[in-house]
Amino acid sequence: MRSDTEIIDKARKIILDSFIGGNEQPGFPEIIGRDRSTEWGGTISALHILHNMVCTQQVDIAIDESIKGIIASQNKDTMAWGAGGVDLVEATSEIVYYLSEDYSPFERHGLRESVEGAVEFVKSKYYKKGYYHSGAFSEKSEHTLYATFQAVRALDKVNQLSDDERSTIGTWIRSNRTADGLWGDNNDSNQSSITHSIYALLTLMYLEKNPNRIMKEFKKQIRMIFKSIISDNTYFYYEEYSIPTNESDSSGKEFKRIRINHFVLPFAIDLYLKIGDTARARILVERLKNIRYDGAWGLYQTFRTTWATQQAIDALTGYQNSKRPWMDVFTSFFLLLWHKYWYTVIIIALLLIVFFIIWGSENAGYWCISTVIGVVSGTLSNKITG
């Protein structure tokens, strides 16, 4: 685990060195190396990283100044945070979640009023059918599952979810699935998304506090998620949606287009750790460590982001702190071998059977050898023609 600790420490240092001070809203950039701080995806993610670092003068100054920037960037009319001039449940919820987790009691930093107002904003976007709207309230929203995940995580943290809300939201999540049993990124989607399927399952865990029940109920979906990530290298995902504004031009009503990037691996690792499947988590952790750019994470070299790096650090730290049986090393090896090279696993198993049968019966051995030759030939044929 020493190498993991070194990876985490290097990533934390990269984030700390990207601090931007001297502005009206001091903080951290979303994209590492940029000169503009952002509250969502930048400063709040960095604050979470700094909270877990050894305190130095550099760390303390960055924390104090960044919290001032977070408060200054809050919309004083709605008490929300957002992106592109639009108040968002996703942004507001994530900021509430990390401030509540890392900087409570709030009086120390003057955050109580900001957090309490933000919580009321998030609660106001709840729709009685069991989900949260991203931005402007309406009975039909293009974007709900990620907003619901963020809202539930934040409101659960501050104990602002009633039993009725927990039950209604859980029912909505279970009923809002695509044909393959997974989840899409919005209410009406017919196409499943691995990312949003992970969010759905994590939301149920925050709601019900019963990982074993979730694991048993959605065993098939949990396996499908892992297979997709491993087989298709599903690491990043993005979605776009439009939110109406109060402005119009000569063409009619104007909309704000919001694009949200998602980093699949850290939340998948969190999912498998929560259900106790450390073997699959180990495989995903190794994938996570192999897709860094100069010590940080992002979509590509020039798009290393504070939020992706923070999420990766959280996943690695969570894995370090988990209880893992020593047999997980072997379990992980065979799991990966099966999902990537299943035909090789079958051939090896058949060869072992052949060995033991030959050992006991010469005639049976000849029959089994013929069978193995047929299986190998068929596999190679399918490989070549496919």
Side-chain angles (χ1 to χ4, degrees):
M1 286 301 161
R2 183 177 178 181
S3 62
D4 289 7
T5 301
E6 291 171 352
I7 288 171
I8 292 170
D9 289 344
K10 182 177 180 179
R12 285 173 172 165
K13 184 66 166 55
I14 290 170
I15 296 300
L16 178 60
D17 290 343
S18 69
F19 173 69
I20 302 170
N23 300 333
E24 291 184 10
Q25 296 180 7
F28 290 81
E30 176 190 3
I31 301 174
I32 298 171
R34 299 283 177 88
D35 293 327
R36 180 181 179 85
S37 63
T38 67
E39 59 273 13
W40 185 39
T43 301
I44 191 59
S45 294
L47 274 170
H48 182 58
I49 292 172
L50 298 179
H51 176 76
N52 294 300
M53 291 183 70
V54 176
C55 287
T56 64
Q57 185 178 14
Q58 184 185 10
V59 170
D60 291 341
I61 290 173
I63 288 175
D64 289 340
E65 291 299 303
S66 294
I67 288 178
K68 292 177 184 176
I70 286 285
I71 295 174
S73 64
Q74 189 175 24
N75 184 332
K76 295 303 182 287
D77 294 328
T78 62
M79 300 301 285
W81 288 276
V86 179
D87 295 336
L88 296 176
V89 164
E90 298 93 330
T92 306
S93 297
E94 186 162 78
I95 292 172
V96 166
Y97 176 78
Y98 286 122
L99 290 180
S100 301
E101 182 172 82
D102 298 335
Y103 299 100
S104 183
F106 303 124
E107 285 84 352
R108 179 181 173 188
H109 296 280
L111 286 168
R112 177 171 292 280
E113 182 180 347
S114 291
V115 170
E116 289 180 348
V119 167
E120 291 306 311
F121 168 80
V122 173
K123 291 169 66 176
S124 74
K125 300 302 179 182
Y126 177 70
Y127 182 50
K128 61 183 178 181
K129 286 188 176 180
Y131 55 82
Y132 291 82
H133 293 272
S134 177
F137 184 87
S138 64
E139 291 193 3
K140 183 179 175 67
S141 175
E142 293 180 350
H143 180 75
T144 55
L145 210 154
Y146 181 54
T148 300
F149 162 72
Q150 288 281 21
V152 165
R153 187 173 68 153
L155 296 178
D156 176 65
K157 175 62 69 175
V158 297
N159 298 314
Q160 290 292 320
L161 279 173
S162 68
D163 290 341
D164 285 345
E165 287 168 339
R166 289 178 184 274
S167 176
T168 303
I169 296 168
T171 299
W172 174 77
I173 289 174
R174 285 180 169 84
S175 65
N176 190 43
R177 285 187 277 169
T178 53
D180 58 5
L182 295 173
W183 288 264
D185 58 11
N186 63 63
N187 293 13
D188 302 319
S189 177
N190 290 319
Q191 183 175 357
S192 60
S193 155
I194 293 301
T195 303
H196 290 81
S197 298
I198 294 169
Y199 291 144
L201 293 171
L202 288 175
T203 303
L204 289 173
M205 290 184 189
Y206 284 115
L207 290 170
E208 300 173 6
K209 313 292 185 183
N210 194 339
N212 289 333
R213 176 188 172 186
I214 304 302
M215 180 180 63
K216 291 177 182 178
E217 184 178 353
F218 298 104
K219 184 181 295 186
K220 176 184 175 182
Q221 288 81 1
I222 290 170
R223 288 176 177 172
M224 289 168 66
I225 288 169
F226 179 78
K227 181 179 180 181
S228 177
I229 294 173
I230 293 300
S231 302
D232 304 329
N233 296 332
T234 309
Y235 300 150
F236 287 94
Y237 180 87
Y238 79 90
E239 59 185 314
E240 290 186 345
Y241 61 97
S242 298
I243 290 180
T245 69
N246 294 324
E247 300 177 0
S248 299
D249 60 16
S250 58
S251 299
K253 192 171 182 63
E254 293 185 354
F255 289 77
K256 290 279 189 178
R257 183 166 293 279
I258 306 297
R259 174 168 176 159
I260 298 179
N261 294 296
H262 302 279
F263 193 7
V264 181
L265 282 178
F267 288 102
I269 291 168
D270 187 31
L271 171 65
Y272 288 106
L273 289 178
K274 276 183 166 59
I275 63 174
D277 191 343
T278 53
R280 285 182 171 84
R282 177 189 291 272
I283 294 170
L284 298 180
V285 162
E286 293 306 316
R287 291 292 177 93
L288 182 65
K289 291 189 291 186
N290 289 333
I291 59 171
R292 291 173 294 147
Y293 297 102
D294 296 333
W297 283 265
L299 277 74
Y300 40 84
Q301 177 68 44
T302 57
F303 202 86
R304 299 183 306 160
T305 65
T306 304
W307 57 267
T309 302
Q310 172 251 310
Q311 291 170 6
I313 289 173
D314 280 357
L316 292 176
T317 303
Y319 180 72
Q320 279 188 327
N321 295 335
S322 65
K323 294 180 179 180
R324 303 181 302 277
W326 66 271
M327 282 295 291
D328 271 8
V329 176
F330 300 101
T331 306
S332 299
F333 171 76
F334 285 109
L335 271 172
L336 185 59
L337 194 64
W338 174 254
H339 281 286
K340 292 293 286 185
Y341 309 106
W342 60 267
Y343 49 86
T344 304
V345 175
I346 292 175
I347 292 171
I348 291 173
L350 289 173
L351 287 173
L352 288 173
I353 293 172
V354 168
F355 172 79
F356 288 112
I357 291 178
I358 290 177
W359 188 266
S361 170
E362 183 176 355
N363 291 332
Y366 289 140
W367 175 85
C368 202
I369 288 174
S370 300
T371 302
V372 170
I373 292 174
V375 170
V376 172
S377 300
T379 301
L380 292 176
S381 176
N382 288 335
K383 188 78 172 170
I384 293 170
T385 57

